[in-house]
Amino acid sequence: MVSRRRNLGFSCRRRAPASETIAIPLGLASSKPWAVPERRIVQAAVAASGIGVLPLDAVYEILLRLPAKLICRLRVVCRLWRSLLSDMQFAAAHAARHPRPLVIAGYEQNAGDGTLVNIMDLSGQIVKQVRRIDGSDKVMSMDLDLVCVKNVDSGRYRFLNPATGAVYQLPTFFADEHMGLSFNLIGEPKYILGQVHSTGEYKVLRIFFHLSCSLHCQLFEVCTLNSGSHSRWRRKESPGEFVAFCKFTRLVIDGIVYLLCSDLHCSITFHDQVFEKDMIITFNLETEAWGPRIRGPPISFPNDAAQMFHNFGLPKTKQLSLANLHGSLAVVHGPAPYMDFWILMDIDKGQWVKQYSMQFEQYGHLKYVHPLLVLGDGRIVVHQEDNGFLQIYDPRTNTFTNSVELNHYSAVNMYTGSLLSLDK
């Protein structure tokens, strides 16, 4: 370690006191001023730590070019380095320099040999691992770069930030109005994590089935996520329609929850096209109120698809799911024989534009094929159920290439958070 520091022109003969912190300019140019007013104090700390062998802007540029794993190791050099390399502004600048797509995948219970989450590149190379706290932990989902974890033994849920290690415990009880209904629940509740656009706080919308008077009904609750134990669930009225419970039928964009309606009566037919009337239900996390319904794009059936449905004795229908593509709401129609990605351009006018399409040679028994990311060259990263791999679809050649092996993982998503965590 000593030789490495000498090669870089650094020597930590004295550990800087905890109160002496450094704020390095954010940009890549060398003309930005120091971010703290006590410039002389900062310069004195720099001089005392022997960091003046190289110009500070050159040091900053070098550090930005290093991989995240090495950056995290360099934090142990001294307090000065720890302060700089742990700064959120430095993390943001480093992420901008290393924009490669990353995948986060969580393990099933008792899988992963002590690992809870792996963060990988598209080749499958692991760039970060998060260790399991308890052997009965199981990853349920990943949203906004937080991991939803269930402890199977206790039944408790929590959200984990794999970059910072922060843990947010979910309340164990129900909203006061639902206390008497807690013994007649059906299946696992669904937790939808979102972030309020104006305040940045996390909120969770919870949906679960309840058996009442031999009828199935859905109950809704919301809570604010914090690191303390004072969160409480708040009851919300039903939106009036059943919400689809599949994992690809719900998402959050800019604090708005989008839910696919599972009511079969929401479709209207016009000639050879089907329109989903008010098929998307919205919920505003800031106001905690249901918003306007959104009618989906038109659904068309090519002749070969109609013939396929007839041959297999299947109803003439399309598989519907929701996706977040480039920060916009997308409805996915698929998979027989074409999977079309419709982007919502104008929510007030209900204007949709078909931007992407996939074609399958065999489409009789395909399950959900969910798009996760559109790469810069037009290729699409997709997650196909029961395939065992994350795949990359190339529209130029109409081919799928296996990317990341997904065996033993219970959830997978793209990761956009920082890798510069203290527990690397």
Side-chain angles (χ1 to χ4, degrees):
M1 193 68 188
V2 175
S3 61
R4 180 179 296 175
R5 284 179 297 191
R6 287 176 178 172
N7 291 336
L8 290 175
F10 294 94
S11 173
C12 288
R13 292 184 295 272
R14 180 183 71 87
R15 287 182 176 267
S19 59
E20 296 180 11
T21 60
I22 289 182
I24 298 294
L26 246 186
L28 302 180
S30 61
S31 59
K32 290 190 177 182
W34 291 96
V36 294
E38 298 85 356
R39 183 170 180 175
R40 288 191 298 271
I41 297 177
V42 175
Q43 290 176 329
V46 173
S49 63
I51 206 170
V53 178
L54 291 176
L56 291 178
D57 291 320
V59 174
Y60 192 75
E61 184 73 16
I62 292 172
L63 294 175
L64 284 178
R65 294 173 182 267
L66 297 179
K69 182 175 293 187
L70 181 55
I71 289 291
C72 293
R73 291 175 179 174
L74 289 176
R75 284 198 180 105
V76 302
V77 172
C78 60
R79 290 185 180 180
L80 184 66
W81 280 54
R82 183 181 179 88
S83 176
L84 166 63
L85 301 181
S86 302
D87 183 73
M88 295 301 294
Q89 292 181 334
F90 178 84
H94 186 272
R97 275 294 190 94
H98 303 266
R100 58 176 176 168
L102 295 175
V103 177
I104 180 170
Y107 280 101
E108 293 272 4
Q109 178 190 5
N110 300 324
D113 193 24
T115 300
L116 182 70
V117 167
N118 281 334
I119 300 178
M120 303 166 282
D121 60 22
L122 289 180
S123 70
Q125 180 181 358
I126 297 175
V127 297
K128 179 177 175 61
Q129 288 185 320
V130 178
R131 304 295 294 176
R132 190 184 302 272
I133 300 176
D134 191 293
S136 66
D137 283 343
K138 175 183 178 181
V139 175
M140 305 300 292
S141 63
M142 275 90 69
D143 295 295
L144 297 178
D145 298 324
L146 296 186
V147 181
C148 181
V149 180
K150 177 184 179 182
N151 186 278
V152 178
D153 292 339
S154 66
R156 297 198 62 175
Y157 290 82
R158 68 182 186 277
F159 282 90
L160 169 69
N161 188 324
T164 65
V167 177
Y168 305 89
Q169 298 286 350
L170 283 175
T172 55
F173 299 105
F174 295 83
D176 293 340
E177 298 87 345
H178 292 159
M179 282 297 185
L181 305 176
S182 59
F183 298 102
N184 292 321
L185 301 182
I186 304 173
E188 292 276 356
K190 304 301 179 184
Y191 295 92
I192 307 170
L193 172 70
Q195 196 169 20
V196 177
H197 188 68
S198 60
T199 64
E201 63 182 349
Y202 292 113
K203 288 188 178 182
V204 179
L205 178 66
R206 177 165 71 171
I207 310 172
F208 47 89
F209 276 107
H210 174 258
L211 184 61
S212 177
C213 300
S214 300
L215 296 176
H216 293 79
C217 66
Q218 291 178 319
L219 303 180
F220 298 83
E221 296 178 344
V222 67
C223 78
T224 303
L225 209 59
N226 56 57
S227 57
S229 58
H230 304 293
S231 298
R232 294 181 63 88
W233 290 108
R234 300 179 288 276
R235 173 182 176 269
K236 292 297 152 186
E237 295 288 342
S238 170
E241 296 88 4
F242 267 33
V243 171
F245 243 39
C246 299
K247 59 183 176 181
F248 298 139
T249 59
R250 57 188 185 275
L251 58 82
V252 183
I253 302 176
D254 293 335
I256 304 297
V257 182
Y258 298 93
L259 304 163
L260 266 184
C261 174
S262 64
D263 188 351
L264 297 179
H265 301 289
C266 67
S267 300
I268 58 175
T269 303
F270 182 75
H271 296 299
D272 290 331
Q273 290 188 328
V274 177
F275 291 86
E276 297 291 335
K277 182 181 179 181
D278 300 335
M279 61 171 281
I280 300 174
I281 304 169
T282 63
F283 181 82
N284 190 315
L285 287 174
E286 182 172 14
T287 62
E288 298 185 7
W290 297 104
R293 307 294 196 267
I294 303 175
R295 194 186 81 168
I299 304 175
S300 61
F301 294 91
N303 293 332
D304 51 352
Q307 186 62 41
M308 183 275 292
F309 286 121
H310 176 75
N311 293 339
F312 282 93
L314 300 174
K316 190 177 178 181
T317 184
K318 276 279 189 177
Q319 177 195 93
L320 303 179
S321 61
L322 300 179
N324 181 351
L325 296 179
H326 303 304
S328 298
L329 175 65
V331 169
V332 182
H333 294 167
Y338 306 102
M339 171 172 283
D340 299 327
F341 302 162
W342 292 81
I343 308 297
L344 180 61
M345 306 301 293
D346 191 321
I347 188 172
D348 295 326
K349 297 180 179 179
Q351 180 183 357
W352 297 85
V353 174
K354 185 169 69 172
Q355 286 197 348
Y356 308 100
S357 185
M358 293 181 183
Q359 182 177 357
F360 297 91
E361 294 181 359
Q362 297 179 351
Y363 47 80
H365 302 284
L366 285 175
K367 294 190 176 181
Y368 276 105
V369 182
H370 186 67
L372 296 176
L373 178 70
V374 178
L375 301 175
D377 58 3
R379 293 179 302 159
I380 305 172
V381 181
V382 298
H383 178 204
Q384 182 173 317
E385 281 191 340
D386 299 334
N387 177 270
F389 285 89
L390 205 65
Q391 295 181 303
I392 300 178
Y393 174 77
D394 191 336
R396 296 165 294 188
T397 59
N398 193 35
T399 57
F400 289 87
T401 303
N402 291 339
S403 175
V404 179
E405 186 176 0
L406 299 179
N407 291 329
H408 308 299
Y409 290 120
S410 57
V412 63
N413 207 341
M414 303 305 297
Y415 182 76
T416 60
S418 172
L419 294 176
L420 302 184
S421 61
L422 294 176
D423 57 348
K424 185 77 174 183

